[in-house]
Amino acid sequence: MGKVVLVTGVARRLGGRFVRRVQREPGIDRVIGVDAVPPGHSLGDADFVRADIRHPMIAKVLAEHDVDTVVHMDVNGTPLGRSRGRGSRSAVKESNVIGTMQLLGACQKAPSVRRLVVKSTTNVYGSAPRDPAVFTETMPAKSLPSGGFAKDAVEVEGYVRGFARRRPDVAVAVLRFANILGPGADSPLAEYFSLPVLPTVFGYDPRLQFVHEDDVIGVLLVASQEPGRGTLNSGTFNIAGDGVLLLSQTARRLGKPTVPVLLPTVTWVGSALRGLGVSDFSPEQIRLLTHGRVVDTTQMRETLGFTPKFTTAGTFRDFAASRGPGLLPPERLARAVDRAAAVLPAGTPR
């Protein structure tokens, strides 16, 4: 592993966890955490630099600290702090796309940089009716994401590939994470599963994969270090726990009822979710809850050399346990169902 590691997105809980963990690795002289706002949690012995990666100042940070390993975790689907301001989505897109462009430009000019790890998502594959049963890293999306975080991730990966061509001396690893869950998960999907009643698409029971937040930290550590014998930490890797769960299985394991919505009115699902308190739930997330998505993780195991500790089912079990008993008392359950029905179109199955 490099002597000086720079991590972006450290104001978020997951970024903070990785910073605290990576500084305990042998051979690390210094860890630098970067974000536009100060973190509300401890970064251990790491140095914090308040810098917006959308601005050229990030190049100065890389040069001044002689950084050799960059772990780019500041690619996210939601604004920091769950802000619901009107401009929150545009700000997230700017941070994801423009911020990555600036960071890669700075890395290109920094001769000390020898390793780059980028947090991406399996959302880049989209979710469509004619998708393959299992996506490998070389398969293109049947229907490219049209917006939201998924489209940001597609653009980010395009810029990363361009950087890799311009700096072939840099080891570049792109980690495509399945839906991240765990006790501390903060995402639109985690909010969805936290609802008292789960809106679903009538007639569809999608297959889902999850990756535990502990395994996210573990695979980031592996990708950030020098590869061991028989492994290679350059390339694009799908990251997910073993196995799949059907959406109906997740509802049963949470002890929560579902409200089905007819497919012709699927666009109402987003409004229903927002009405129930889920913010930033994009059409791509709705398509995921319609068609699902499963990815192959052979390269993660055989090439990267990483095996998750949690299966998909184990990840969801840990997430569900952290949320407590799911089934509401009868009177509260009736109110929750009525509230969900109130924002659904007429004719939707109840």
Side-chain angles (χ1 to χ4, degrees):
M1 186 177 290
K3 299 293 184 181
V4 181
V5 181
L6 181 141
V7 184
T8 66
V10 298
R12 294 177 185 265
R13 181 179 177 276
L14 203 59
R17 279 195 62 188
F18 177 71
V19 165
R20 292 191 297 273
R21 177 62 184 84
V22 73
Q23 60 195 267
R24 302 202 305 266
E25 289 294 296
I28 295 296
D29 292 338
R30 192 175 186 190
V31 178
I32 301 163
V34 174
D35 213 311
V37 297
H41 43 254
S42 169
L43 297 181
D45 294 328
D47 298 320
F48 174 68
V49 176
R50 185 170 184 174
D52 191 329
I53 62 171
R54 294 175 293 178
H55 300 151
M57 176 187 174
I58 190 65
K60 184 178 179 182
V61 176
L62 289 173
E64 281 188 356
H65 299 285
D66 204 28
V67 172
D68 52 59
T69 300
V70 175
V71 180
H72 183 30
M73 297 184 65
D74 204 3
V75 181
N76 301 284
T78 56
L80 185 62
R82 313 298 301 154
S83 168
R84 289 173 171 78
R86 291 181 61 186
S88 60
R89 170 57 203 149
S90 60
V92 169
K93 180 177 179 61
E94 262 195 42
S95 179
N96 288 340
V97 179
I98 304 302
T100 298
M101 289 176 62
Q102 286 284 2
L103 178 65
L104 294 176
C107 289
Q108 184 177 337
K109 297 174 182 176
S112 62
V113 173
R114 287 290 179 264
R115 192 171 303 279
L116 171 67
V117 180
V118 179
K119 171 180 169 283
S120 188
T121 172
T122 57
N123 286 341
V124 298
Y125 298 114
S127 294
R130 296 185 178 181
D131 279 349
V134 179
F135 277 103
T136 66
E137 289 86 348
T138 58
M139 289 181 177
K142 292 291 184 180
S143 177
L144 281 173
S146 58
F149 175 49
K151 188 172 185 294
D152 292 355
V154 170
E155 294 183 36
V156 164
E157 287 198 11
Y159 292 127
V160 172
R161 286 191 294 272
F163 167 81
R165 288 192 296 269
R166 293 188 297 271
R167 284 290 304 271
D169 59 311
V170 177
V172 179
V174 176
L175 306 182
R176 291 175 176 168
F177 290 102
N179 301 285
I180 300 172
L181 286 182
D186 178 19
S187 67
L189 195 61
E191 282 192 344
Y192 167 79
F193 284 129
S194 298
L195 293 171
V197 178
L198 305 181
T200 61
V201 181
F202 183 70
Y204 289 82
D205 197 7
R207 298 174 305 152
L208 303 174
Q209 279 178 313
F210 306 113
V211 58
H212 197 283
E213 54 193 2
D214 290 356
D215 286 323
V216 172
I217 302 301
V219 74
L220 285 168
L221 287 172
V222 170
S224 301
Q225 65 189 3
E226 294 290 341
R229 180 176 299 177
T231 64
L232 179 69
N233 61 1
S234 295
T236 300
F237 304 95
N238 293 330
I239 310 296
D242 279 351
V244 300
L245 281 178
L246 298 176
L247 182 58
S248 60
Q249 292 176 309
T250 66
R252 287 195 295 271
R253 293 179 188 206
L254 287 169
K256 294 183 177 182
T258 59
V259 175
V261 181
L262 289 173
L263 184 58
T265 56
V266 70
T267 54
W268 285 79
V269 176
S271 298
L273 291 172
R274 287 189 291 273
L276 292 169
V278 177
S279 62
D280 305 302
F281 208 91
S282 70
E284 294 303 322
Q285 292 282 2
I286 296 172
R287 282 189 276 273
L288 173 68
L289 294 180
T290 305
H291 306 295
R293 183 190 309 117
V294 177
V295 299
D296 179 82
T297 57
T298 301
Q299 294 302 312
M300 173 191 73
R301 298 170 185 280
E302 296 183 359
T303 305
L304 188 59
F306 177 76
T307 301
K309 294 180 179 178
F310 289 83
T311 63
T312 283
T315 297
F316 195 79
R317 186 184 308 115
D318 199 35
F319 167 78
S322 71
R323 295 310 195 258
L327 198 59
L328 298 174
E331 65 279 1
R332 288 187 62 195
L333 177 58
R335 288 198 299 270
V337 172
D338 289 343
R339 186 182 176 195
V343 294
L344 299 176
T348 298
R350 301 289 191 255

